[in-house]
Amino acid sequence: MDSIIVKGGKPLSGQIHIAGAKNAALALMPATLLSEEPLTLTNAPRLSDIKTMTELLQSLGAEITSMQDGKVQAMSTHGTINTTADYDIVRKMRASNLVLGPLLAREGHAVVSLPGGCAIGARPMDIHTDGLEKMGASIDLKDGYLHAKAAGGKLKGAVIDFPFASVGATENIMMAATLAKGTTVINNAAREPEIVDLATCLRRMGAQIDGDGTATITIQGVDRLGGATHPVVTDRIELGTYMLAPVIAGGEVECIGGRMDLVAAFAEKLDASGVSVTETANGLKVARKNGRPTAVDVTTEPFPGFPTDLQAQMMAMLCVAEGKSVLEEKIFENRFMHAPELVRMGAEIEVHGGTATVTGVERMKGAPVMATDLRASVSLILAGLAAEGETQVNRVYHLDRGYEHVEDKLGAVGADIKRVPGS
Ligand code: EPZ
């Protein structure tokens, strides 16, 4: 398995291009199942998770052509397709469960493996299945698979009140409702930019959707959807990650393609910690000229609150901030596994349940550390940028799921970083 070695202590300077969003593309790709006509995504990220979604959709009968080095994904599905999403693919990536709604809407039946456990939490699918049942589906769990059937072969519109603003459930139900009979209303829907991007693409395909980006989304079902070409929205989590790099290492970095509206709550915390974030013609510029950032308290929340997917990276920054910070993780029940690895690098962190108290230290020390999930792995690389000596991050396959060539992007702004191929 590959590992990444970072030598800390070098201030950064230059530009980093931010890719299209993994979490938007993983919802946009299954939308091809909703139409017989081609759907083309531009600005697609080049990640192992996109390859897994491609593999899944091809196993269902989709034709997918990747062009321009993977930045363009041309997809289409014709005629009758396979409606079983196999465990062997689904277990690699939870987002595979986003084919359930589109398959049910298209074919009236689907068999989708339950993803199983995840490092950061139990992550059940009850909000997805309860919503689809309200739309007239019967769903049984057999041998680890969800067997779903739409009454009369077609879903019907319904009013659905979510107990929690789940991103995945909002995406699954929104896609299912585009071809349902009648009107669907999702109350307490997720408001993430990836939801708005999916709704925008579905509208391009002919769907009738209102309210995306708010807590109430209304979908008027139509008989069929057409094709479309859609640019994937910027990856706000990759953006936030690279905005933190100069905060931790010092210096100044411009994130090309960055947008303030995608990271407002996060940028507010950077501002409160004494870091300047400015909008430029091409994106966002982040600079930490002198001295250490100041400690700030952070609580993760659904959008537009502070994103849980930036919590680990923010913890790495708070490890070298002046003062004590309290970090509360409110979305996932087990998302502090990076903390003991940061402690190995000399950080002072106490974790009690969903609360971590971080006391900033003058300097971290390089050490061999272990990546446990996608965002934890990049937080260790960020910490390595500030550490004395060498940090070796192992199991970086986690990283490749969500970051394109991290060593090239950070290397381009002056970081001393390299990938060591696994034996
Ligand atoms: C999406 O996951 C993202 N993944 C996650 O990013 C992100 O952390 C999460 O949203 C929250 O922002 C993708 O978009 C592919 P949820 P998702 O449904 O859809 C509970 C990353 O690092 N819940 O909003 O799975 C659930 O257990 C990944 O890129 C239920 O209880 O998130 C969790 O505690 C990690 N029942 C909370 O809601 C359900 O049916 C949020 O889950 C669904 C969810």
Side-chain angles (χ1 to χ4, degrees):
M1 275 182 262
D2 290 9
S3 60
I4 286 190
I5 294 187
V6 189
K7 284 206 186 87
K10 292 183 72 182
L12 307 179
S13 157
Q15 299 181 323
I16 295 181
H17 286 261
I18 306 302
K22 167 182 83 80
N23 290 346
L26 290 177
L28 290 161
M29 292 176 76
T32 186
L33 300 169
L34 294 167
S35 171
E36 299 266 343
E37 289 173 46
L39 171 61
T40 300
L41 299 180
T42 59
N43 194 35
R46 286 134 332 153
L47 305 165
S48 59
D49 270 7
I50 300 300
K51 292 206 176 86
T52 306
M53 183 57 86
T54 301
E55 192 192 339
L56 175 63
L57 292 170
Q58 285 171 333
S59 77
L60 300 176
E63 282 157 33
I64 301 187
T65 315
S66 176
M67 293 170 278
Q68 288 177 25
D69 183 23
K71 289 197 88 169
V72 174
Q73 302 283 347
M75 308 174 289
S76 64
T77 50
H78 302 293
T80 308
I81 59 171
N82 165 21
T83 56
T84 299
D86 201 78
Y87 174 65
D88 279 344
I89 304 177
V90 174
R91 69 181 168 75
K92 290 189 218 161
M93 180 184 69
R94 310 188 56 76
S96 307
N97 63 17
L98 293 172
V99 300
L100 177 60
L103 284 174
L104 256 182
R106 181 196 176 101
E107 301 288 330
H109 53 89
V111 177
V112 175
S113 169
L114 260 186
C118 166
I120 63 177
R123 303 181 76 176
M125 281 186 67
D126 54 321
I127 305 176
H128 302 238
T129 51
D130 291 355
L132 291 168
E133 282 173 341
K134 286 228 171 67
M135 297 176 73
S138 59
I139 303 181
D140 301 310
L141 177 62
K142 262 184 276 161
D143 313 325
Y145 283 79
L146 292 173
H147 292 250
K149 259 197 179 53
K154 192 166 178 68
L155 294 171
K156 59 181 180 19
V159 175
I160 302 168
D161 301 319
F162 278 178
F164 181 85
S166 155
V167 172
T170 303
E171 293 164 338
N172 243 331
I173 300 292
M174 191 163 69
M175 287 193 274
T178 55
L179 295 175
K181 199 162 181 21
T183 304
T184 299
V185 178
I186 307 174
N187 292 318
N188 194 23
R191 303 166 54 187
E192 273 67 4
E194 295 76 32
I195 304 279
V196 174
D197 202 43
L198 177 61
T200 306
C201 176
L202 293 169
R203 274 191 290 269
R204 285 199 163 106
M205 294 166 76
Q208 294 184 21
I209 302 175
D210 289 304
D212 45 299
T214 77
T216 302
I217 302 178
T218 304
I219 307 106
Q220 175 64 49
V222 296
D223 291 338
R224 60 181 298 282
L225 291 179
T229 296
H230 177 81
V232 179
V233 70
T234 296
D235 193 320
R236 64 196 168 98
I237 306 302
E238 189 194 30
L239 171 61
T241 301
Y242 289 124
M243 287 169 72
L244 278 166
V247 182
I248 292 175
E252 179 180 277
V253 166
E254 185 182 12
C255 295
I256 306 299
R259 282 173 28 200
M260 191 62 95
D261 62 318
L262 295 175
V263 287
F266 168 72
E268 234 173 75
K269 290 294 175 185
L270 290 190
D271 185 54
S273 68
V275 171
S276 88
V277 180
T278 46
E279 292 183 83
T280 66
N282 306 311
L284 297 176
K285 187 177 277 182
V286 179
R288 194 201 87 195
K289 289 284 182 246
N290 41 45
R292 292 157 62 192
T294 314
V296 284
D297 295 341
V298 170
T299 300
T300 64
E301 293 168 296
F303 194 89
F306 189 98
T308 173
D309 294 347
L310 284 173
Q311 177 259 98
Q313 300 92 314
M314 193 69 179
M315 184 184 275
M317 187 274 261
L318 297 172
C319 289
V320 292
E322 297 243 32
K324 199 185 280 252
S325 313
V326 176
L327 253 172
E328 281 194 278
E329 174 54 57
K330 289 270 170 101
I331 309 292
F332 291 105
E333 63 273 25
N334 185 32
R335 202 170 201 181
F336 283 140
M337 290 205 291
H338 37 282
E341 297 300 314
L342 290 166
V343 168
R344 286 175 47 74
M345 298 174 70
E348 288 181 23
I349 307 170
E350 274 185 49
V351 174
H352 297 290
T355 303
T357 305
V358 183
T359 306
V361 296
E362 187 75 35
R363 196 79 203 270
M364 304 263 276
K365 299 221 173 3
V369 288
M370 193 66 78
T372 47
D373 63 78
L374 166 59
R375 307 305 171 182
S377 53
V378 83
S379 79
L380 301 175
I381 288 183
L382 289 178
L385 295 173
E388 209 172 286
E390 219 176 73
T391 297
Q392 173 158 359
V393 183
N394 296 301
R395 293 196 184 156
V396 290
Y397 59 83
H398 289 291
L399 193 75
D400 297 334
R401 299 187 54 178
Y403 293 90
E404 287 184 355
H405 315 301
V406 65
E407 68 274 23
D408 299 344
K409 290 196 177 185
L410 285 172
V413 292
D416 185 338
I417 181 169
K418 65 176 187 222
R419 179 182 291 254
V420 181
S423 47

